[in-house]
Amino acid sequence: MGDFFRKQLFNIIAAVFLALFVIVWGSVLFQVWVFIPEVPGAAPRLNGAVVCAAGALSTSLSSLTASALGFTMAEVRREEQAGAGKSPGQASEGVFDAGGITTKLSGRVVTALMVYLVIGMLVLGVWLVKGTASTDLIGAFSLSLLGWIIGAAGVVFQTEKPMSQATGTA
């Protein structure tokens, strides 16, 4: 039994972290969604500990996923340059295929990305529907998510090979 935990330690840590993220943000979303303001536009009062935990978890997951993507991109770029006989300091011609990045991502990273995006989209939806009747925490995470998506989209479009390179034409 101890051997199982030793082999699965990183998966267990990742699962606990993602479960906490989902539980805390699920609680925040539920409280904001069911809140009926006595004064129009008033936001619900959330427990300070929940606000701190939600902020720390969302910031951490955003940073962790962004850095995992960045490190993976750098690794793929190094491998492509080494395969082409270039040193890591030399600029490569064009851009590289995003498929090389996605195949190198671990299952934990892919799961974290999907959890972050799904919860983030739910938060964004609640913020857009509830407007001023949501909390500043919801608004802050929504804006952070939008920034993350814009950055990720920039990477996606940057890594796409131009049509001439993909087909081998000039």
Side-chain angles (χ1 to χ4, degrees), residues 40-155:
R45 292 184 54 92
L46 299 174
N47 176 319
V50 170
V51 171
C52 287
L57 289 166
S58 62
T59 301
S60 299
L61 192 53
S62 172
S63 300
L64 291 169
T65 55
S67 65
L69 285 172
F71 287 131
T72 304
M73 286 180 61
E75 180 182 343
V76 169
R77 172 100 16 153
R78 272 192 308 274
E79 288 174 1
E80 286 186 353
Q81 289 172 340
K86 295 180 180 181
S87 68
Q90 288 179 302
S92 64
E93 306 247 347
V95 290
F96 52 92
D97 185 13
I101 297 168
T102 56
T103 57
K104 290 227 178 245
L105 292 173
S106 72
R108 287 188 299 265
V109 172
V110 171
T111 302
L113 284 165
M114 292 299 106
V115 167
Y116 180 73
L117 286 174
V118 167
I119 295 295
M121 295 308 290
L122 290 172
V123 171
L124 180 63
V126 167
W127 184 53
L128 293 174
V129 169
K130 291 293 226 172
T132 57
S134 68
T135 65
D136 289 342
L137 177 66
I138 296 281
F141 183 30
S142 296
L143 292 173
S144 174
L145 173 77
L146 289 172
W148 189 96
I149 289 173
I150 291 166
V155 169

